[in-house]
Amino acid sequence: KDITIEVVYKPVGIRCVGSFSPNTLEMITKRRVECSSGRKSMFCHSVSKVDTGVQSLCVLLVSPSKMNEEALHSLNVSYTFTALVHGNPPEEWRRGVYVTVPTEGLRQWKRHKTNQQEKKAGNVDDTDGKSTSMVTSSTPLDLDGALFIKCHDSLQIEEQQIATLTVQSSFDNGRLANVISFVLRKLGYPVVNDRFGKREYSALPRRLKNIVKQKICIGCYCVDVGYEGVLTTVD
C-alpha cells in the first residue's frame, strides 16, 4: 500500500538499474522522490530494463521500505516502441502481425563483429555465423514472449523506402530495444541506424541522413501498466 508507481522518461545514455552511480534512472528517481516528499532513505526499483542507448518511458516502483517479490510480480507492464525501418513491409503488417521472441542471439549489440560480418552487415549478425529465421503470424500470441508489429506508414525517398512501425511486447528479460531490432533485422526490415544495417543506411539520401544524425531510430513512447486489476496507459 506504500508503493508508488512512477513512469519516467529515460534519455539516451542513462542506465535504468543500479546504485553504482548517481546518474542511473533508479538513483535519479530516488533523489527526486525524496526531495519532493521530504522523506529520506526511499527504496527505488526499476521494473524497466531498457537499453542504455535508446530513449524510453520506464516504470519504477518507489517505497519507504523494501519491496517484496509479491509486489513486483503483481505488476504487469507492456511497452510500445516506435521504430523507423528500411523497406516497405507487406500489407498484412498494416493490420498487425505477431512473432515469437527468439531464445538465442539477443545480445548482438554487445558482441564484436568479425570481418565477414563487416562485409555482410545486415545479413548475418551472429558471431558464429549462424542465421536465425523468423516467421510472422496473424494468430495472437502471448506478448510475454512475443512481439506485436504494426506498420503505420511508409515513404519512398528517391530510390529508398522507409516505414514507421510500432512494436508492442511485455517481454521483460531486459534490453527490449535490442530484441526488437534483432527480430526486425531478421525479418528484412532493419531499424535505421542499427549498426548491423550499415549497407542499408549508406544507401539513404544525404538529406535523410542529416535528419536521423547517426542515432538509432527506435524508442518507447507508450507503456501500459497493470496493477491490482487497474490498467493505465501513459504516453
Side-chain angles (χ1 to χ4, degrees), residues 212-228:
V212 298
K213 297 183 183 301
Q214 296 293 328
K215 294 180 180 179
I216 185 74
C217 295
I218 184 172
C220 176
Y221 308 109
C222 178
V223 292
D224 295 296
V225 183
Y227 187 68
E228 294 184 344

Side-chain angles (χ1 to χ4, degrees), residues 60-79:
L60 299 95
L61 300 181
V62 181
S63 173
S65 58
K66 288 187 177 181
M67 289 161 272
N68 56 39
E69 290 296 322
E70 182 180 353
L72 300 179
H73 291 156
S74 61
L75 184 71
N76 297 308
V77 181
S78 176
Y79 303 88

Side-chain angles (χ1 to χ4, degrees), residues 63-197:
S63 173
S65 58
K66 288 187 177 181
M67 289 161 272
N68 56 39
E69 290 296 322
E70 182 180 353
L72 300 179
H73 291 156
S74 61
L75 184 71
N76 297 308
V77 181
S78 176
Y79 303 88
T80 301
F81 282 76
T82 300
L84 184 67
V85 301
H86 295 278
N88 185 19
E91 184 63 29
E92 56 262 30
W93 283 38
R94 293 187 178 270
R95 297 186 294 272
V97 295
Y98 294 83
V99 60
T100 301
V101 172
T103 57
E104 297 179 355
L106 297 182
R107 301 186 67 85
Q108 301 305 318
W109 284 357
K110 294 189 68 175
R111 297 181 179 181
H112 295 290
K113 293 188 291 183
T114 62
N115 291 334
Q116 181 182 11
Q117 288 172 288
E118 291 287 354
K119 295 178 181 178
K120 298 183 179 180
N123 295 332
V124 177
D125 47 60
D126 294 297
T127 52
D128 59 4
K130 297 180 181 178
S131 61
T132 305
S133 61
M134 299 285 170
V135 178
T136 61
S137 171
S138 59
T139 303
L141 299 174
D142 185 350
L143 293 183
D144 284 349
L147 310 177
F148 177 65
I149 306 170
K150 190 172 184 179
C151 178
H152 294 270
D153 197 12
S154 60
L155 176 67
Q156 182 159 346
I157 303 177
E158 297 179 10
E159 297 181 356
Q160 302 300 315
Q161 289 185 312
I162 56 175
T164 302
L165 312 178
T166 55
V167 184
Q168 185 178 9
S169 181
S170 302
F171 183 75
D172 65 354
N173 283 15
R175 306 186 75 238
L176 183 52
N178 182 41
V179 174
I180 293 171
S181 294
F182 178 77
V183 170
L184 291 175
R185 190 163 62 243
K186 290 300 182 181
L187 290 173
Y189 305 97
V191 175
V192 174
N193 269 331
D194 182 338
R195 73 171 191 172
F196 290 108

Side-chain angles (χ1 to χ4, degrees), residues 26-39:
E26 282 185 342
M27 297 305 292
I28 293 171
T29 303
K30 169 182 164 66
R31 290 196 304 273
R32 178 178 57 79
V33 172
E34 288 177 343
C35 181
S36 61
S37 66
R39 306 175 73 172

